[in-house]
Amino acid sequence: MKILVINCGSSSLKYQLLNMEDENLMASGLVERIGIAGSVITHKTESGEKIVKEVEMKDHKEALNQVLAAITDEKTGAVKSLDEIKAIGHRVVHAGEKYSASVLIDDDVIAALEECVPLAPLHNPPNLIGIRAMRELLPAIPNVAVFDTAFHQTMPKEAFIYPLPYEYYEKHKIRRYGFHGTSHRYVSERAAKVLGKDLKDLKIISCHLGNGASLAAIDGGKSVDTSMGFTPLEGLAMGTRSGIIDPAIVGFLMENESLSSQEVDNVLNKKSGVLGVSGVSSDFRDIEGAAKEGNERAQLALDVFRRRVKKYIAAYAAVMGGVDAIIFTAGLGENSPHDRAEIVKGLEFMGVKIDAEKNNVRGKDTVVSADDSKVDILVIPTNEELMIAKDTLSLLS
Ligand code: ADP
């Protein structure tokens, strides 16, 4: 059973073709500059060979046509015919309060996702374009939507209601939604398997630390709290995002820097986080390099970032009345032993103790806590595409 996974952005799209018999990645790729001069598709074969093709792609439909051509290419493709693809799984960012699990797409689902566009104006429209284009290109093949927000729909009301006038929740649906749900779900299920325990018996704190970063408190397999909120701006300090700040700073900046609300939004989303503090880069590797060379602001940015992750870990342990496992995932979480060690330093009082030798690992499922640690600490590489393909498969049957 072969499943195509599509992640459509505004001018780019990523894809993966998975064989679900053995969960093998048969092909993957990236289309960039859709609708802009110089559009290009980079296709990667199962053996890792890269084929780069510059070809004009005016819109997502043309881009997806190129994807289908790349997958079925006689020499470098992965399948002989498109008939071999049984379904398409789409990553969709926002499902509002409408869906708490993945769904088979029909006209009603598309209408519901249209309604969620005001909640994710940058992300849902390209996701919808991708869905519509695939329905046109391959009308006989079912499409499934897998949402970033769905996993967090189990949060209790006291976790998702903001202390604002309640009418804003009723009128505008302003509440915490949370994101990275597919990743938090994947790594928590995987961690339970690695530990040989039942997910239902575990209190897990999942730390997805990439360019965008969030934590989730997962009790018995259900998300009970998460650090991202109404938008993916809340919570941790990120590559370029501020995360939590005193909300009064927004008005202060508008007044004193003569910024419009959109300009402040731009500062908080694109010029803040570790980039803003360090002035070096949004990439953690660059910042760590600069810090090693003695750049104090680079070091400060790392300290601000790590401190906040630590605070959330302790807060989520309190919310769940304990913690059995802490998971590190995504770019930094999977690949930076030093950051993992710095983040959990000082949490020994909670029974959290990392093993320096075991922690010297990158990008593979590993338990990195010390033998006498009360809490298991794990590195679990995330795989959102596999999770999307799994959901797609299970909705077909
Ligand atoms: P996203 O999917 O949100 O764009 P990723 O999960 O790919 O992000 O994570 C990207 C981040 O991970 C970058 O800031 C990068 O510097 C960081 N990262 C990757 N490898 C390492 C490493 N070895 N040490 C520190 N940071 C790393």
Side-chain angles (χ1 to χ4, degrees):
M1 178 81 82
K2 282 147 203 160
I3 292 188
L4 179 62
V5 175
I6 305 258
N7 182 354
C8 256
S10 55
S11 68
S12 70
L13 75 83
K14 291 187 207 148
Y15 62 94
Q16 283 195 4
L17 181 69
L18 289 126
N19 183 349
M20 294 310 285
E21 261 119 61
D22 52 5
E23 298 184 353
N24 185 38
L25 180 60
M26 302 176 73
S28 61
L30 169 69
V31 185
E32 290 164 293
R33 301 181 64 87
I34 300 167
I36 310 170
S39 15
V40 57
I41 172 165
T42 308
H43 180 78
K44 214 165 149 190
T45 66
E46 190 172 344
S47 61
E49 187 194 346
K50 263 190 193 170
I51 300 113
V52 182
K53 189 170 150 199
E54 270 193 49
V55 48
E56 193 186 348
M57 290 173 259
K58 281 201 237 69
D59 54 31
H60 286 74
K61 196 168 157 195
E62 288 187 10
L64 286 164
N65 236 334
Q66 288 295 333
V67 170
L68 298 179
I71 288 170
T72 48
D73 186 271
E74 238 177 84
K75 284 202 192 107
T76 52
V79 290
K80 286 208 176 66
S81 142
L82 290 174
D83 295 342
E84 291 180 47
I85 300 172
K86 291 298 170 231
I88 298 154
H90 296 263
R91 177 189 180 205
V92 180
V93 168
H94 218 306
E97 293 185 320
K98 185 82 192 177
Y99 298 110
S100 55
S102 306
V103 282
L104 208 54
I105 297 172
D106 59 16
D107 292 343
D108 291 343
V109 172
I110 291 187
L113 295 181
E114 285 285 4
E115 275 176 38
C116 296
V117 165
L119 296 172
L122 298 180
H123 294 102
N124 270 29
N127 297 161
L128 276 160
I129 289 171
I131 291 170
R132 288 202 167 101
M134 281 323 297
R135 286 195 352 141
E136 270 179 58
L137 289 169
L138 300 175
I141 298 183
N143 289 271
V144 165
V146 179
F147 308 104
D148 276 24
T149 50
F151 181 56
H152 301 300
Q153 281 295 303
T154 47
M155 282 187 290
K157 213 162 182 181
E158 66 266 29
F160 74 71
I161 288 292
Y162 288 116
L164 291 168
Y166 195 77
E167 70 209 53
Y168 294 145
Y169 167 56
E170 294 173 313
K171 192 168 153 198
H172 299 295
K173 293 271 171 256
I174 295 178
R175 52 158 283 178
R176 176 183 312 287
Y177 291 99
F179 299 86
H180 289 145
T182 311
S183 173
H184 289 301
R185 180 158 61 101
Y186 175 80
V187 297
S188 55
E189 286 176 11
R190 190 82 208 118
K193 283 215 178 84
V194 169
L195 293 172
K197 291 182 179 159
D198 192 338
L199 187 58
K200 289 209 171 64
D201 301 329
L202 291 173
K203 294 181 193 300
I204 292 177
I205 297 172
S206 157
C207 311
H208 178 112
L209 309 178
N211 221 327
S214 72
L215 265 75
I218 302 164
D219 196 347
K222 294 204 165 110
S223 172
V224 294
D225 213 334
T226 192
S227 60
M228 281 179 171
F230 178 57
T231 73
L233 179 59
E234 197 186 335
L236 301 172
M238 308 181 210
T240 60
R241 286 174 242 170
S242 66
I244 290 181
I245 55 165
D246 181 340
I249 296 170
V250 173
F252 183 92
L253 284 177
M254 289 173 76
E255 291 270 316
N256 292 281
E257 289 279 324
S258 305
L259 299 177
S260 67
S261 67
Q262 266 173 341
E263 285 165 335
V264 176
D265 192 76
N266 193 46
V267 168
L268 299 181
N269 272 293
K270 304 218 167 109
K271 296 184 179 166
S272 300
V274 290
L275 167 69
V277 177
S278 70
V280 171
S281 166
S282 63
D283 193 295
F284 280 93
R285 281 164 294 196
D286 299 342
I287 301 169
E288 284 179 14
K292 268 198 199 116
E293 283 166 15
N295 183 322
E296 283 177 19
R297 268 175 54 193
Q299 186 56 52
L300 178 62
L302 295 171
D303 292 342
V304 168
F305 170 80
R306 292 166 183 160
R307 183 184 180 94
R308 207 169 263 193
V309 180
K310 190 196 306 272
K311 280 167 78 168
Y312 269 105
I313 291 175
Y316 286 170
V319 159
M320 292 190 288
V323 53
D324 300 305
I326 298 171
I327 306 170
F328 286 98
T329 192
L332 176 94
E334 291 167 24
N335 296 303
S336 177
H338 184 56
D339 280 290
R340 292 193 295 260
E342 288 294 315
I343 287 166
V344 299
K345 197 153 97 187
L347 295 179
E348 292 81 5
F349 76 95
M350 281 169 44
V352 178
K353 200 167 153 197
I354 205 159
D355 181 299
E357 212 166 292
K358 290 186 202 161
N359 185 38
N360 194 11
V361 67
R362 286 185 176 78
K364 65 170 198 246
D365 292 348
T366 319
V367 178
V368 299
S369 38
D371 292 340
D372 60 344
S373 180
K374 285 201 194 106
V375 178
D376 290 309
I377 309 171
L378 298 99
V379 174
I380 305 280
T382 193
N383 193 340
E384 289 162 284
E385 290 79 11
L386 178 59
M387 193 84 245
I388 292 171
K390 280 183 171 184
D391 277 12
T392 304
L393 186 67
S394 77
L395 277 166
L396 289 186
S397 36

